[in-house]
Every structure is written in structure tokens, then in C-alpha cells.
């Protein structure tokens, strides 16, 4: 398919300010994300605290802002009190979510101090699976409380005088999922989240709370779950969560390339569900979205079921997906979708950061390196600044089995009001080159250049060497005309253009 595509970009048509917290990621006590991922004492690059400098440097290069912790499914049977205080007194516990012996060497203080040193904003999750109001409020007090009360004083006794000031808090994780330890129906969870959230905000009214939304748009309870949970929590929480993983199933490349359209519909449906509750309550408050788990994950085709895992210890290799060029194109397109909902998405977390379905891989005692998906994330986090623009994209659609008709070309753009820096992200989902005419009425636009990721047909880059051989390439030539710019997009590609926009 090769057809003309048109994009109109106008400086006055804006979606909203891009919240930098959409460039978040996720560190779960799962597999090798923590142990031999971010943390490996004895590694050649380990800092004084035992954290790998090579991983921290790649995290910085990736442009990550927020990091969600400690899970994920892990949090739903976590006893945070067991992982604070002197390390030699901490006891290992059997994490039932991933059937792994957790040594508790890294806990709340180690993680929060790592975030401080690395300039990352922590997003903490509380256990609403096996625990409840008490443990959740106590953890907020431990992290954010001033001296003079039990849990804040415990933090001080453990060597940390200053409160950490953690703003973002998840009220549990995927509580709609039957796989979750302590899984609940929407009414039970909604009441518990409201009670826990109320207590947590009584400890610290400055925090922002995330209620669990659906684990996927394809859950049977989707929609009704959001409506019910928000009917209990609307006045207490700030955000509702969304989780989505995409994969190529049964060789259906077209549907996989259209994944971001599914993400787009998911966002619109959650916004509609949340706003319907707000309307019924005659509330002026708008709930925003925390897309706190998203990525390409070969969950159905490669992973299967966590209950089949044997009990393991010493940071086992679990879900260490290796990514292809095609996966990188889809990740770029998914990121553009987050930008196109800048008015409603406040937080986004690429799940996860290291080793577990991650842009960064490591070997114990060895190197750290970038997977293919690293490149579109880092490029977007670096270029997308300021305001997201409301583009008008006219492109033909193609049919997919999973999502029906999807656009052949998608786009997102941002402009930095302070500098006039323009960033334009365009995905060509077809196997032919596409010509795009970009019109920019009411402004002078100039694109200096672009870099692209291509969906080569090489398949997943299984080894470090193969992953490192993959990189971004220069965009095809850009032609400037009078009020128009002509772009050529490589087949199955995601391209980030940079330039300027002036009135
Ligand atoms: O990111 C891996 C897992 O996916 C998380 O633990 C869980 O929340 C989701 O199902």
C-alpha cells in the first residue's frame, strides 16, 4: 500500500501539556530486575551502595522520570516492614506471585535512596491483596512522616532523618486479575481502596493516589470495574490505572502493528468510564490516567502462566523477552499514543526497566546493554517537551483481525513554548514507503532531521551482540516547500523528526 498521507499541524491546536511523568518505568521484585539488574554488589561498576553504575547510566540515557516499585503482582503479598532496618536481621520470604525466594536485601529505604541519588521520582505501591488500611497508612507515615510518631520514628531509627516525600501511591496492583494474590471483586476492592486512600491522605494530604483500573481492556469486567471502583473512590483518588501489553500472536503482523490503535481506544474508553462517574456525581473533578504498565510482552506466546513456575531463589531469569526491530516500531507508536492523550495521561510506566521485559539487559558480573525498544523510548523522552499538538492526520486504513480498521500512518507532535523546539513522531505501519505532506498553516515549521527505527525481518535479537548491532538510522530526505514539508517514511518504521515551529 502506498498512498499520500496528509498531516496538518497548527500551533494553536493543542491537546495539553506533556506531563514528564509519562516517561516512567517500573522496578519490580521479579526475576532479575532488582538483583543483578539495578543492584549487584561486587559488580565492577557497583557504587558504594551496591547499585550498578552501568545500569544507572543507561537509565539516565533512557530519560526515565518516574519509577514504580515494588510491584506489580509482587506487592500483593509483600510485607514492607520485613525489608527495613538492619539487613542482617531481615528474613527471606517466599513471594507467591513469582514463586521466588525474596531475600529482602533491597527494601523501601534502599530503593528510595537510590531514586534520590539518581534523580528519579518513586511511585510506591501498597499491598491491598493480603493486607489493608493499617499497613498502607503505616508505609506512608514511614516514608513521609515527621519525627514523633511510631513509623516515622522507625525510619529515623533506621538512619533516615528526613522524610522522603513520596508523592505517587498505587492502591494495590491489578486487583481485578484472578491471578492476583488477594484478588477482589470491584465492590470489595473499591471500598478497601477508598478506606486505605482516606487513611493514607490523612497521614499526608499532599500525596496523589492511583486506584486500580483494569489489567487489560480485554478483561471481562472491563468498564464495569472502572465504574464500580470509581463510584467508591472518586473523591479520594487522583488517577485510575491502566495496564496493557501487546504481542504478535500467530504471525498476525498487521494486528501487532496496529497495537497503538488498541491503546488509543483503551484510553478513550477509560476516560469515558471515569467521566461518566464524574457526571453522575455532578463533580467538576477530572480523574486522570496512570498508564503504569505498558509494553510489548510475549505473554501468551512465550510466557504462559506464573503458577507453573518452580520455586526458585537467587534472582532467577523470568520473562527476559528479547526484542526485535518490529517491537521497537510498535513501542514508538505506543509512546506517540501517550502523547496524543496528554490532556488525560498523567503518569506512564514502561514495564519494566531492567532484564524483565525491559529496554536494558544485564549479565551478572558482565555488561549492561540496550535492547531495540530502548531507542524509541529514549528518543521520545528526550525530544517530546512542552505542549502536545492536536494534529489532523489523514491516512488510509487497513484491516486487521484483532482491531478492525487501523490507520496506515499515525503521528504525534510536541512544541516547547519556551524554545519553539518542535518534535514530530510518525509511524508507518505498512510494508511500503509512504509519502507524507505536512501542512503548517499559521506558522513557520522547519524540520532539521530525523532518526528512525525500522522493523527489519531479523526477529528477536537474542544475544547482546545482536541487540547492540541494532540502532537508529537517519530518516529519508525531508523536502521543505511553501507552507508544506514532504516526508518519506521507510516501510514499517517509526521516525522522530526534530525542528522548530514559529508563528
Ligand atoms: O510486569 C509484569 C507483571 O505484569 C506485573 O507484575 C503485573 O502487574 C502484570 O500482570
Amino acid at each position: 500500500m502506498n498512498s499520500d498521507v496528509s498531516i496538518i499541524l497548527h500551533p494553536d491546536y493543542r491537546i495539553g501539556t506533556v506531563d514528564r511523568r509519562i516517561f516512567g518505568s517500573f522496578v519490580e521484585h521479579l526475576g532479575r530486575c532488582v538483583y543483578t539488574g539495578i543492584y549487584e554488589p561486587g559488580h565492577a561498576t557497583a557504587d558504594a551502595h551496591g547499585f550498578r553504575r552501568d545500569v544507572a547510566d543507561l537509565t539516565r540515557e533512557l530519560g526515565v522520570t518516574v519509577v514504580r516499585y515494588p510491584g506489580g503482582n509482587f506487592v500483593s503479598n509483600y510485607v514492607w516492614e520485613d525489608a527495613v532496618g538492619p539487613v542482617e536481621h531481615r528474613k527471606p520470604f517466599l513471594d507467591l506471585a513469582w514463586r521466588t525466594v525474596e531475600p529482602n536485601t533491597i527494601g523501601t529505604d534502599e530503593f528510595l535512596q537510590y531514586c534520590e541519588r539518581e534523580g528519579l521520582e518513586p511511585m510506591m505501591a501498597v499491598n491491598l491483596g493480603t493486607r489493608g488500611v493499617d499497613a498502607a497508612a503505616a508505609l506512608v507515615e514511614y516514608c513521609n512522616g515527621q519525627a514523633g510518631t511510631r513509623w516515622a520514628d522507625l525510619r529515623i531509627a533506621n538512619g533516615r532523618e528526613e522524610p522522603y516525600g513520596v508523592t505517587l501511591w498505587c492502591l494495590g496492583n491489578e486487583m481485578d486479575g484472578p491471578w492476583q494474590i488477594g484478588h477482589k471483586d470491584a465492590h470489595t476492592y473499591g471500598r478497601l481502596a477508598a478506606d486505605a486512600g482516606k487513611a493514607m491522605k490523612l497521614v499526608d494530604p499532599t500525596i496523589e493516589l492511583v486506584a486500580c483500573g483494569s489489567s487489560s481492556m480485554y478483561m471481562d469486567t472491563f468498564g464495569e470495574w472502572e465504574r464500580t471502583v470509581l463510584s467508591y473512590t472518586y473523591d479520594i483518588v487522583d488517577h485510575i490505572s491502566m495496564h496493557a501489553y501487546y504481542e504478535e500472536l500467530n504471525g498476525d503482523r498487521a494486528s501487532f502493528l496496529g497495537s497503538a490503535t488498541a491503546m488509543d481506544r483503551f484510553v478513550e474508553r477509560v476516560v469515558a468510564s471515569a467521566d461518566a462517574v464524574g457526571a453522575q456525581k455532578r463533580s467538576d473533578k477530572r480523574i486522570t490516567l496512570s498508564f503504569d504498565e505498558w509494553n510489548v510482552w510475549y505473554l501468551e506466546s512465550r510466557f504462559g502462566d506464573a503458577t507453573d513456575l518452580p520455586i526458585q531463589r537467587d534472582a532467577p531469569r523470568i520473562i527476559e523477552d528479547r526484542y526485535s526491530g518490529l517491537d521497537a516500531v510498535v513501542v514508538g507508536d505506543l509512546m506517540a499514543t501517550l502523547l496524543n492523550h496528554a490532556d488525560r495521561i498523567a503518569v506512564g510506566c514502561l514495564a519494566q526497566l531492567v532484564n524483565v521485559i525491559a529496554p536494558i539487559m544485564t549479565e551478572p558480573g558482565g555488561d549492561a546493554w540496550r535492547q531495540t525498544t530502548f531507542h524509541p523510548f529514549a528518543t521520545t523522552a528526550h525530544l517530546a517537551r512542552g505542549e502536545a499538538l492536536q494534529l489532523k492526520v489523514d491516512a488510509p486504513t487497513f484491516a486487521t483481525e484483532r482491531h478492525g480498521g487501523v490507520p496506515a500512518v499515525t503521528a504525534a507532535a510536541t512544541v516547547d513554548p519556551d524554545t519553539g523546539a518542535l518534535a514530530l513522531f510518525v509511524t508507518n505501519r505498512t510494508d511500503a514507503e509512504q509519502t507524507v505532506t505536512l501542512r503548517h498553516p499559521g506558522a513557520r515549521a522547519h524540520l532539521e532531521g530525523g532518526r528512525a527505527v525500522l522493523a527489519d525481518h531479523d526477529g528477536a535479537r537474542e544475544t547482546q551482540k545482536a541487540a547492540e548491532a541494532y540502532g537508529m538510522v537517519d530518516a529519508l530526505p525531508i523536502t521543505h516547500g511553501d507552507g508544506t514539508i514532504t516526508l518519506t517514511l521507510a516501510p514499517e518504521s517509526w521516525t522522530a523528526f526534530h525542528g522548530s515551529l514559529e508563528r
Side-chain angles (χ1 to χ4, degrees):
M1 184 200 300
N2 185 340
S3 45
D4 280 351
V5 177
S6 133
I7 300 177
I8 303 175
L9 172 159
H10 192 289
D12 287 341
Y13 297 158
R14 298 176 180 203
I15 299 168
T17 304
V18 175
D19 194 322
R20 298 290 305 164
R21 298 183 299 182
I22 69 169
F23 304 116
S25 188
F26 178 26
V27 166
E28 177 166 5
H29 284 259
L30 193 186
R32 299 193 307 115
C33 192
V34 174
Y35 306 106
T36 74
I38 57 170
Y39 176 80
E40 190 180 344
H43 187 269
T45 72
D47 64 17
H49 309 273
F51 286 84
R52 287 181 64 148
R53 190 67 258 152
D54 55 353
V55 173
D57 287 346
L58 283 175
T59 303
R60 197 166 292 235
E61 184 187 321
L62 188 60
V64 166
T65 51
V66 163
V67 182
R68 185 167 174 253
Y69 176 88
N73 296 341
F74 173 85
V75 80
S76 295
N77 67 156
Y78 185 50
V79 180
W80 68 265
E81 299 92 318
D82 288 349
V84 298
V87 176
E88 59 278 14
H89 295 159
R90 299 183 196 173
K91 297 192 175 48
F93 89 100
L94 179 59
D95 161 41
L96 303 176
W98 304 106
R99 294 170 55 77
T100 301
V101 178
E102 164 58 45
N104 276 329
T105 313
I106 295 296
T108 301
D109 288 292
E110 289 80 14
F111 176 74
L112 293 178
Q113 288 169 27
Y114 178 66
C115 286
E116 272 184 353
R117 291 194 300 275
E118 299 304 330
L120 300 164
E121 178 177 352
M123 178 187 206
M124 297 293 284
V126 298
N127 174 357
L128 294 189
T130 58
R131 308 191 76 196
V133 180
D134 210 18
L139 182 57
V140 177
E141 187 191 310
Y142 184 86
C143 293
N144 292 1
Q146 300 289 343
T149 55
R150 177 182 175 192
W151 297 105
D153 284 350
L154 178 63
R155 180 195 71 234
I156 294 165
N158 288 339
R160 170 69 186 209
E161 186 73 34
E162 276 300 295
Y164 291 107
V166 177
T167 301
L168 286 167
W169 292 86
C170 302
L171 293 162
N173 177 71
E174 294 190 348
M175 298 307 303
D176 63 325
W179 58 86
Q180 201 67 216
I181 310 293
H183 163 232
K184 292 173 176 51
D185 65 69
H187 290 278
T188 311
Y189 169 69
R191 279 188 219 105
L192 176 60
D195 285 343
K198 185 173 80 183
M200 291 161 77
K201 280 200 170 173
L202 284 169
V203 175
D204 182 353
T206 69
I207 63 175
E208 291 177 35
L209 292 173
V210 184
C212 285
S214 294
S215 308
S216 134
M217 185 170 75
Y218 305 104
M219 298 295 291
D220 290 343
T221 47
F222 174 61
E224 187 54 25
W225 174 273
E226 280 73 5
R227 195 195 67 70
T228 307
V229 168
L230 285 175
S231 72
Y232 291 102
T233 59
Y234 201 89
D235 296 330
I236 292 163
V237 304
D238 303 277
H239 318 285
I240 183 136
S241 76
M242 302 175 64
H243 291 181
Y245 293 102
Y246 303 95
E247 68 188 296
E248 184 179 349
L249 280 168
N250 309 318
D252 182 0
R253 194 171 176 96
S255 294
F256 183 48
L257 277 157
S259 297
T261 298
M263 183 193 237
D264 189 57
R265 292 175 189 158
F266 186 17
V267 172
E268 285 175 2
R269 288 166 189 167
V270 175
V271 166
S273 305
D275 288 353
V277 178
Q280 212 169 15
K281 289 180 177 287
R282 297 172 204 86
S283 173
D284 291 331
K285 176 175 174 178
R286 283 289 163 273
I287 297 289
T288 45
L289 309 181
S290 175
F291 215 130
D292 45 46
E293 282 187 40
W294 70 269
N295 204 348
V296 170
W297 176 10
Y298 288 83
L299 174 62
E300 277 183 51
S301 48
R302 291 187 205 155
F303 180 58
D305 193 340
T307 55
D308 294 337
L309 290 168
I311 291 180
Q312 297 178 88
R313 53 178 70 239
D314 301 329
R317 291 178 192 260
I318 305 178
I319 47 176
E320 300 200 356
D321 282 21
R322 303 298 167 117
Y323 291 116
S324 66
L326 177 61
D327 298 328
V329 171
V330 170
V331 164
D333 203 9
L334 294 170
M335 289 205 78
T337 307
L338 299 182
L339 294 174
N340 279 331
H341 291 283
D343 54 337
R344 291 307 284 264
I345 302 184
V347 180
C349 301
L350 178 75
Q352 300 192 358
L353 182 63
V354 195
N355 290 328
V356 176
I357 42 172
I360 301 170
M361 295 301 294
T362 68
E363 264 310 306
D367 291 341
W369 66 94
R370 302 165 193 79
Q371 292 228 61
T372 59
T373 52
F374 185 100
H375 304 289
F377 189 102
T379 305
T380 309
H382 176 67
L383 289 178
R385 285 174 192 277
E387 302 282 318
L389 294 176
Q390 182 76 65
L391 302 176
K392 171 130 182 31
V393 182
D394 276 317
T397 57
F398 63 90
T400 68
E401 210 174 298
R402 216 167 145 78
H403 321 299
V406 303
V409 170
T410 60
T414 60
V415 64
D416 184 335
D418 298 330
T419 62
L422 172 68
L424 174 69
F425 308 95
V426 194
T427 307
N428 175 8
R429 295 164 163 179
T430 73
D431 58 6
E433 263 186 17
Q434 295 290 337
T435 307
V436 176
T437 307
L438 177 72
R439 294 188 179 78
H440 43 91
R444 274 181 300 159
H446 183 81
L447 292 180
E448 283 158 33
R451 300 278 286 163
V453 288
L454 307 179
D456 49 31
H457 283 263
D458 288 0
R461 306 247 164 182
E462 295 291 345
T463 62
Q464 175 183 350
K465 203 165 154 217
E468 285 177 336
Y470 184 86
M472 297 188 77
V473 298
D474 281 339
L476 296 173
I478 303 164
T479 316
H480 288 82
D482 189 14
T484 63
I485 302 174
T486 305
L487 310 169
T488 306
L489 306 174
E492 295 184 341
S493 64
W494 173 87
T495 312
F497 298 94
H498 63 276
S500 57
L501 187 67
E502 285 169 33
R503 280 175 194 285

